[in-house]
Amino acid sequence: MKLKKLSAMLLAMAMLVPGTVCHAEETEAAAETTAETTAETAAEDTAAVPKYIFLFIGDGMSYPQVQTTNYYLSAMNDDGDDILTSQSNLNMMNFPVAGSAQTYDSTSFCPDSASTATSISTGHKTYSGTINMDETGTTAYETIAEKLKEQKDYKIGVLTSVNLNHATPAAFYAHQASRSSYYEIGLEMIDSGFDYFAGGALLQPTGSEEDQTDLYELASEAGYTVVKTQAEAEALTADSGKVVVIDEHLADDDAMSYDMDLEEGMWSLADYVDKGIEMLDNETGFFMMVEGGKIDWACHANDAASTINDTIALDEAIGEAVEFYNEHPDETLILVTGDHETGGLTIGFAGTDYDTFLTNLSNQKISYAKYDSDYVASYKENGTDFETVMADITELFGLEAPQGAEEQAAVMDSKDQHPESNNTGTLVMTDYEYEKLQAAYEETMSRTGEEEIGQEEYILYGSYEPLTVTITHILNNKSGINFASYAHTGLPVPVFAQGVGQDQFEGYYDNTDIYNKMAALTGVE
């Protein structure tokens, strides 16, 4: 039918152009030949079925997050050569095929993780907040992971740096009208029969009603080995059966720690991927979905340094898949994408004009979340004075109090810059920046948690600690980085592909086509 429509369209166009009527039959024949050739090429491309599939999803990761991370690594690795000509520093950017996917959902051009992950896993649009169900909340969609398990007997792994029943991982095994139905999502996780779950702790494991059995207990009863220490995780083997691995060193909201907060010896996302490969590898095949979930959380908080470090952590996890691909190049497909962009991240800031100073971000030693829990909470409890707080800020973020007027003028003159632009790369704050920081400190110290946040406060601080988010804003801006939002945006996301069927992922398409292309390659019904 499509071939006939194409031929008819070309014939009609030919008849409208002077001097081409006599060639109409030739045009139609040429169209048929081209279409047949395209179909044959597509058939050849999809003939090979990937036996091992890795799908990496950087939550909140779009082009800005990837490119900022790459530029940051270039700046940090600068050995005197021109960093602007340096090659890619990221595994994902070295993949042979790159496409782009638009991310809108049935609610908005700025969608959420539940709906976008639904599009990737099932090929269907739905409302923000909904997981694998239609807009009425009555029709459930089967996921690519479920189909590969049931129809192809692939082993399935679901990994994430956030909670295992959070929206993105849930979108590969659950079907709920609300992403907040954590207990019900956990029940579906257990019922899925998938082989390897690893990441942050389950949210609401005992539910919100009386007499609801603990999800971990139910998982054990269903035949899962529930592991909650790193030593137990290290001891797992391919013969351990179905497992649920909860990271031992949980941080904010019972998720894994931000990568920059990990201490020596603690497992990162890459370690869980490495163990997952060991657990899932078999002669039939496997599908592994890996989410870098805290990229999104860091972008919500406008913490560029944490964003970059967790993007690196995801890329290191991708590196584990690349090693496996190198051993099985004719059987493996690796896909890397994002569900949506978060924060409106930009490379460039009004105060630094055309300059960036990305190495400034290396001065940040702690994530915004750990600073909140380990420092800000103590400031509030003890009424810590600003001078003491400022000393911590200098130690942990590199920002320094303003110099005297003569010293500031000398810095500006030496850089031949306009005083109003502050594009010198210095981490010494201007009076303007210092006053913003002091105001944020006072706002943090005065808040009780009962306040109603107005428009001005939200634009300045979002829903975050005023002191903390102001610190990261100033450091970001001094580095030549800026955020436009505390929420998601409507940017398209990259799709990087390597391996069997990689050419199918070229071009610009909808995120639902990521599912469609995987389904076509694997032949699931």
Side-chain angles (χ1 to χ4, degrees):
M1 181 63 70
K2 291 182 179 178
L3 182 58
K4 290 180 179 178
K5 287 182 177 179
L6 175 61
S7 299
M9 184 182 298
L10 290 171
L11 177 60
M13 291 173 63
M15 294 179 68
L16 289 173
V17 180
T20 61
V21 176
C22 63
H23 300 292
E25 292 183 2
E26 295 177 12
T27 303
E28 183 175 358
E32 290 179 357
T33 301
T34 301
E36 288 170 0
T37 301
T38 301
E40 289 171 1
T41 302
E44 291 173 1
D45 289 343
T46 58
V49 177
K51 184 176 177 180
Y52 309 109
I53 303 174
F54 295 88
L55 173 61
F56 291 90
I57 300 177
D59 198 321
M61 184 185 79
S62 180
Y63 293 98
Q65 285 74 18
V66 173
Q67 199 64 59
T68 301
T69 302
N70 188 54
Y71 284 160
Y72 170 80
L73 290 172
S74 291
M76 292 297 294
N77 296 332
D78 182 19
D79 57 2
D81 295 330
D82 184 0
I83 65 171
L84 299 182
T85 62
S86 63
Q87 299 298 308
S88 168
N89 300 285
L90 299 174
N91 289 299
M92 68 181 89
M93 293 181 73
N94 289 318
F95 280 20
V97 170
S100 296
Q102 54 186 355
T103 63
Y104 74 92
D105 69 6
S106 301
T107 304
S108 173
F109 291 126
C110 301
D112 89 323
S113 294
S115 62
T116 50
T118 292
S119 292
I120 294 170
S121 67
T122 72
H124 292 280
K125 297 289 186 182
T126 192
Y127 286 145
S128 290
T130 300
I131 295 176
N132 296 333
M133 299 195 78
D134 69 356
E135 291 84 351
T136 68
T138 58
T139 300
Y141 302 129
E142 193 175 15
T143 74
I144 187 68
E146 291 173 314
K147 291 183 178 184
L148 288 171
K149 182 71 172 176
E150 295 168 11
Q151 299 177 28
K152 303 291 183 178
D153 198 30
Y154 278 27
K155 287 190 174 183
I156 307 296
V158 175
L159 295 73
T160 179
S161 59
V162 297
N163 316 92
L164 280 171
N165 53 350
H166 217 265
T168 301
F172 288 83
Y173 61 77
H175 316 80
Q176 296 290 328
S178 172
R179 61 180 287 174
S180 299
S181 300
Y182 295 116
Y183 188 80
E184 291 73 19
I185 291 171
L187 292 175
E188 288 200 76
M189 185 191 87
I190 296 166
D191 290 341
S192 72
F194 289 179
D195 304 274
Y196 178 71
F197 291 97
L202 292 167
L203 295 168
Q204 298 179 5
T206 57
S208 57
E209 302 175 9
E210 294 182 5
D211 302 324
Q212 288 185 304
T213 306
D214 188 286
L215 290 171
Y216 296 116
E217 181 180 336
L218 290 173
S220 295
E221 293 175 0
Y224 281 94
T225 298
V226 178
V227 168
K228 292 188 176 181
T229 70
Q230 188 169 308
E232 291 175 301
E234 290 171 350
L236 290 171
T237 69
D239 297 324
S240 297
K242 299 184 300 183
V243 296
V244 176
V245 184
I246 304 300
D247 186 76
E248 180 178 357
H249 308 287
L250 298 175
D252 49 318
D253 295 311
D254 280 342
M256 288 176 60
S257 294
Y258 281 97
D259 200 70
M260 71 187 308
D261 295 331
L262 292 178
E263 297 178 9
E264 185 70 27
M266 289 184 182
W267 269 21
S268 66
L269 194 59
D271 294 297
Y272 287 107
V273 171
D274 182 50
K275 178 58 69 172
I277 292 172
E278 178 185 352
M279 300 291 291
L280 298 175
D281 192 8
N282 71 99
E283 286 304 313
T284 303
F286 66 73
F287 172 88
M288 184 190 297
M289 191 289 296
V290 183
E291 181 201 21
K294 299 194 83 170
I295 299 170
D296 173 72
W297 292 15
C299 287
H300 275 294
N302 292 180
D303 183 344
S306 293
T307 297
I308 288 169
N309 278 274
D310 265 59
T311 303
I312 294 171
L314 177 65
D315 195 69
E316 290 173 346
I318 294 166
E320 298 292 334
V322 171
E323 285 188 18
F324 182 86
Y325 164 84
N326 289 336
E327 297 173 0
H328 308 274
D330 298 325
E331 300 176 299
T332 306
L333 172 64
I334 309 174
L335 299 174
V336 181
T337 189
D339 50 358
H340 53 73
E341 197 276 339
T342 300
L345 175 63
T346 59
I347 305 170
F349 174 64
T352 57
D353 294 330
Y354 293 94
D355 293 321
T356 58
F357 306 95
L358 298 180
T359 56
N360 281 346
L361 294 168
S362 66
N363 290 277
Q364 183 172 329
K365 308 302 182 187
I366 190 171
S367 72
Y368 78 93
K370 191 168 179 63
Y371 182 67
D372 280 347
S373 62
D374 291 10
Y375 289 85
V376 177
S378 176
Y379 298 158
K380 289 182 170 184
E381 182 179 352
N382 300 317
T384 307
D385 63 87
F386 182 70
E387 184 176 348
T388 302
V389 170
M390 190 62 231
D392 287 340
I393 292 171
T394 299
E395 178 184 354
L396 297 171
F397 297 90
L399 296 173
E400 299 179 25
Q403 300 171 332
E406 291 184 5
E407 288 87 348
Q408 283 194 46
V411 170
M412 293 298 176
D413 288 343
S414 67
K415 296 288 185 177
D416 192 26
Q417 305 290 351
H418 298 291
E420 68 272 15
S421 70
N422 190 36
N423 56 339
T424 64
T426 178
L427 287 173
V428 177
M429 286 182 284
T430 63
D431 290 337
Y432 167 72
E433 292 164 337
Y434 193 64
E435 288 168 6
K436 284 178 62 177
L437 190 61
Q438 286 180 307
Y441 158 81
E442 292 167 3
E443 182 70 20
T444 281
M445 298 300 284
S446 65
R447 285 190 177 182
T448 63
E450 303 296 324
E451 296 86 359
E452 185 173 323
I453 305 300
Q455 181 183 13
E456 181 179 358
E457 289 81 6
Y458 182 79
I459 294 297
L460 286 171
Y461 313 123
S463 58
Y464 298 92
E465 281 291 354
L467 174 62
T468 309
V469 78
T470 302
I471 293 170
T472 57
H473 279 170
I474 293 173
L475 180 58
N476 296 344
N477 294 164
K478 282 185 168 295
S479 306
I481 296 294
N482 194 42
F483 284 90
S485 175
Y486 302 104
H488 300 174
T489 70
L491 289 179
V493 294
V495 183
F496 301 110
Q498 176 171 282
V500 180
Q502 63 185 30
D503 292 341
Q504 299 301 310
F505 295 89
E506 289 181 328
Y508 193 98
Y509 42 84
D510 194 79
N511 58 2
T512 54
D513 282 329
I514 297 175
Y515 162 83
N516 292 333
K517 294 172 188 294
M518 287 192 292
L521 283 168
T522 56
V524 297
E525 298 177 2

